[in-house]
Amino acid sequence: MRTLSLAIAALTLALTAAPALAQDGAALYNSQCKSCHTLTPANSPAGPSLKGVVGRRLGGSPGYLYSKALVAKGGTWTEASLDAYLTAPATFAPGGKMFNRVADPKARAALIGYLKTQR
Ligand code: HEC
């Protein structure tokens, strides 16, 4: 009985913790994006800097060698275009160099909200 109530307590904790984490843009960034991106002016060897990306032109981090596909799209990153890109990068910019998708709309919103704070 004691084991059972401990298991229930652990399960409850896991279930309540999961949605809270999904809302945390910084934590999502650190676990899903940081391996290839930076939030400083310097690019990562694996991807462009995302400092100030919201409102920046597509393919706009100086010194990073982007795919032709992303540069050819043109325009500036908005919350809507970032949402579309993170939903399906290969559909947004066929032939692009990023393949990481964020399937959960709430996670995308949290990530974009966090990127907006990284001016
Ligand atoms: C495995 C490495 C990798 C991971 C992980 C990754 N990216 Fe990227 N990302 C790239 C590469 C490479 C590019 C350049 C794409 C191109 O040139 O077509 C890019 C481009 C971008 C751009 C366009 C930047 C610009 O200057 O136009 C955004 C926005 C972006 N990534 C967001 C994210 C977010 C948010 C995450 C986490 C959910 C993430 N990326 C995870 C490699 C990665």
Side-chain angles (χ1 to χ4, degrees):
M1 200 52 209
R2 169 173 277 254
T3 318
L4 184 64
S5 50
L6 276 178
I8 289 170
L11 188 66
T12 310
L13 201 67
L15 289 175
T16 50
L21 270 180
Q23 306 294 337
D24 187 343
L28 287 166
Y29 176 85
N30 287 331
S31 63
Q32 295 184 37
C33 320
K34 198 183 174 184
S35 54
C36 296
H37 290 288
T38 66
L39 294 171
T40 64
N43 297 308
S44 153
S49 163
L50 295 182
K51 180 178 167 61
V53 71
V54 184
R56 192 172 77 187
R57 68 189 163 80
L58 274 69
S61 181
Y64 183 77
L65 192 64
Y66 289 94
S67 66
K68 288 195 178 81
L70 192 65
V71 175
K73 288 278 294 189
T76 55
W77 286 118
T78 61
E79 289 178 48
S81 60
L82 282 166
D83 189 66
Y85 186 49
L86 294 175
T87 303
T91 307
F92 182 88
K97 291 202 288 183
M98 183 169 103
F99 303 96
N100 298 70
R101 310 176 52 226
V102 182
D104 177 7
K106 284 187 183 145
R108 289 197 303 274
L111 271 164
I112 295 164
Y114 177 64
L115 289 176
K116 277 175 78 177
T117 68
Q118 303 298 309
R119 307 307 314 164

